Amino acid sequence: MRKSVLKVGFTSVCVSMLLLTSCSDDNDDLTLSEDTTTTTDSDEIEEASSTVDSNSYILAVAPDDGVFLIDHDGNTLYDWDFDGDQLGNDAELLSDGSLLATIKVDNPQITYGGYGGSFRKINADQTIAWNVDYSSDTYISHHDVNYLSNGNIIFPIWEQVSQDDAAEMGFSGNFDIYPDAIIEMNPLTQEVVWEWHVTDHIVQDFDESKENFGVVADVPNLIDINYNNDQSDGDITHVNGITLDEENDLLYMTVNFYSEVWVIDHSTSTEEAASNAGGNYNLGGDLVYRFGNPLAYDNIGEVSLNRVHYPNLFDDNRMLLFVNNKYDNQSAVAEYQLSPPYELIAGQDNEPELIWEFTDSDLYSNGLGSGVRMSNGNTLIAEGTGAIWEVNSDGDLLWRFTNYSRPWRAYAFTKDDEAITALGL
């Protein structure tokens, strides 16, 4: 097994690449290791752990199998009853022990990978608190959902734009398209309280007689609607993950078919979100920041993402991302240091600093995937078409679990977390 780790000190420009060789038996459901070599490139990087994070349980979210809370011995401590319905993609364990899950609706009209159409909040005692559908012939919720501190839920949707309407927007293809939108809803009243739509923030350089014509490179805050004009099924953007930073009122989304992370200002009203003015950044719903693929807006800078999942924002504005095809049929988990407040400048390198990366010749998922930092500094990885991994900061494999066919995400919860206590564990 060949693996590579990039580590960068926070106050230095020192970069170290570690090329290590080790063996594991992929036929085993569970692989544990407690023997590793520790090296660091900066005093500011903590010493790598030599053991698994024994203080944590793991929430495994696998669309084909279900949702399971497990320990490092592979024991299932708790699982959830979906009453015969199929999990969409995401499920979020809340502090009161309830689970917010995406559910696949029956007979959907839009069926791209990751579709859902319904949400369910399941109490810790397995009773259902509520169900909410968001699906029709022309739109459907998909992939991800966040539960907000005010009790609202926020999630991405695909919405249909007819071929004729798309042509008027300056789209160069000859087919219906399904760009993304973001919906915030009160699940108890089912009132939509905020929304944002890709189609309100586009630019095109294809047809000067149509709407939104301009020079793509001159307007980095807008989205080139023709970047994926050959995506003939119409799924041109494919947002697959969202994270709302409630402290700074910023929404991050992984946009798989643009190989980017987009950031928008959630402090706007719905009216402002449809415009290019208002909110904390006074940009309305235009992008306040984007990174990973400057080619998507004809800009300079290094391309560091190639298909991407789960914008996991954590301590001090760091972000972990699962990069599906970073190294030609080899995935990676990349950590970036972000620096809000943000600014996008045309013709300048707007990319953030890559401060850590793990990859391995056996790590590959062309769809799904996540990375989570654990309480002891290890990183928990869901390899979307394979296994759940735990590695330390030096990239040593400490644990690998292969019981689930398609792990969407794996979340870590310390054993004294409120959610774990609420489950009676």
Side-chain angles (χ1 to χ4, degrees):
M1 183 185 296
R2 183 175 181 270
K3 55 190 171 187
S4 173
V5 176
L6 165 69
K7 296 168 67 177
V8 182
F10 283 92
T11 58
S12 73
V13 294
C14 176
V15 175
S16 68
M17 294 297 295
L18 306 178
L19 295 177
L20 308 173
T21 302
S22 65
C23 295
S24 68
D25 183 0
D26 287 345
N27 293 321
D28 292 340
D29 285 340
L30 188 66
T31 303
L32 282 167
S33 172
E34 296 189 356
D35 183 19
T36 185
T37 302
T38 299
T39 58
T40 59
D41 64 334
S42 166
D43 290 340
E44 298 186 21
I45 296 178
E46 295 183 0
E47 183 176 338
S49 172
S50 62
T51 64
V52 298
D53 186 357
S54 59
N55 189 44
S56 293
Y57 293 138
I58 294 158
L59 186 76
V61 182
D64 297 339
D65 304 295
V67 181
F68 307 91
L69 188 70
I70 61 174
D71 62 21
H72 281 91
D73 292 322
N75 298 312
T76 297
L77 308 176
Y78 201 94
D79 60 2
W80 282 263
D81 180 8
F82 294 106
D83 196 27
D85 292 321
Q86 186 175 354
L87 185 69
N89 267 16
D90 197 40
E92 181 179 347
L93 181 60
L94 308 180
S95 61
D96 64 355
S98 61
L99 188 81
L100 174 59
T102 60
I103 302 293
K104 287 188 174 182
V105 295
D106 295 331
N107 303 313
Q109 298 304 301
I110 303 171
T111 58
Y112 302 128
Y115 81 85
S118 186
F119 304 96
R120 181 173 302 164
K121 189 169 184 281
I122 305 172
N123 296 320
D125 64 1
Q126 300 278 16
T127 59
I128 296 175
W130 46 256
N131 281 291
V132 172
D133 289 346
Y134 201 84
S135 175
S136 76
D137 290 347
T138 58
Y139 61 81
I140 192 169
S141 63
H142 62 92
H143 282 96
D144 205 1
V145 61
N146 285 187
Y147 189 81
L148 307 184
S149 60
N150 61 7
N152 290 345
I153 56 175
I154 191 166
F155 50 89
I157 71 167
W158 286 301
E159 56 183 3
Q160 182 182 37
V161 177
S162 70
Q163 177 178 322
D164 289 344
D165 288 345
E168 287 303 311
M169 293 176 181
F171 183 64
S172 60
N174 296 311
F175 43 85
D176 293 355
I177 58 174
Y178 293 81
D180 280 284
I182 305 292
I183 299 295
E184 181 180 344
M185 173 189 286
N186 179 329
L188 301 181
T189 65
Q190 301 192 26
E191 176 191 4
V192 173
V193 299
W194 184 86
E195 57 190 281
W196 175 91
H197 302 261
V198 162
T199 51
D200 292 325
H201 307 284
I202 58 179
V203 63
Q204 56 90 13
D205 57 7
F206 171 68
D207 188 340
E208 61 182 337
S209 70
K210 303 297 184 183
E211 300 173 5
N212 312 303
F213 184 76
V215 178
V216 171
D218 289 347
V219 282
N221 304 93
L222 297 181
I223 299 158
D224 180 5
I225 194 174
N226 289 313
Y227 181 71
N228 280 320
N229 59 1
D230 59 352
Q231 191 79 24
S232 59
D233 66 357
D235 181 15
I236 60 172
T237 50
H238 200 88
V239 169
N240 57 32
I242 60 170
T243 297
L244 182 62
D245 173 6
E246 293 197 58
E247 181 179 351
N248 294 303
D249 227 353
L250 291 170
L251 183 72
Y252 296 79
M253 55 187 118
T254 40
V255 189
N256 200 35
F257 293 168
Y258 278 62
S259 296
E260 287 188 289
V261 174
W262 293 347
V263 189
I264 59 174
D265 186 352
H266 180 257
S267 74
T268 57
S269 66
T270 290
E271 292 75 17
E272 291 170 335
S275 74
N276 61 2
N280 293 336
Y281 281 78
N282 198 31
L283 289 171
D286 288 355
L287 305 186
V288 302
Y289 191 55
R290 66 197 303 175
F291 70 91
N293 180 20
L295 298 179
Y297 62 108
D298 292 349
N299 200 47
I300 64 171
E302 182 181 355
V303 175
S304 62
L305 301 178
N306 185 7
R307 301 298 172 96
V308 59
H309 280 75
Y310 189 29
N312 181 12
L313 187 72
F314 65 110
D315 300 340
D316 300 320
N317 292 302
R318 289 179 286 165
M319 178 170 283
L320 282 169
L321 295 164
F322 190 92
V323 190
N324 295 83
N325 196 28
K326 181 69 182 279
Y327 297 108
D328 191 17
N329 295 326
Q330 183 170 323
S331 301
V333 174
E335 181 180 349
Y336 294 87
Q337 180 64 59
L338 305 182
S339 302
Y342 298 116
E343 185 177 19
L344 281 172
I345 302 175
Q348 294 191 24
D349 188 343
N350 297 308
E351 299 303 299
E353 180 186 9
L354 177 66
I355 59 175
W356 183 86
E357 182 180 274
F358 170 80
T359 189
D360 188 290
S361 58
D362 286 341
L363 182 72
Y364 180 62
S365 172
N366 61 357
L368 315 187
S370 68
V372 169
R373 188 59 39 81
M374 305 181 79
S375 66
N376 70 345
N378 290 348
T379 300
L380 185 67
I381 301 168
E383 179 192 6
T385 52
I388 298 174
W389 305 47
E390 184 175 339
V391 301
N392 66 12
S393 60
D394 282 342
D396 298 316
L397 176 63
L398 305 178
W399 186 74
R400 191 169 182 267
F401 190 68
T402 59
N403 267 20
Y404 309 122
S405 61
R406 290 193 310 129
W408 153 255
R409 288 182 189 165
Y411 300 102
F413 288 83
T414 57
K415 293 178 179 179
D416 61 356
D417 189 282
E418 288 180 276
I420 301 302
T421 302
L423 292 174
L425 300 173

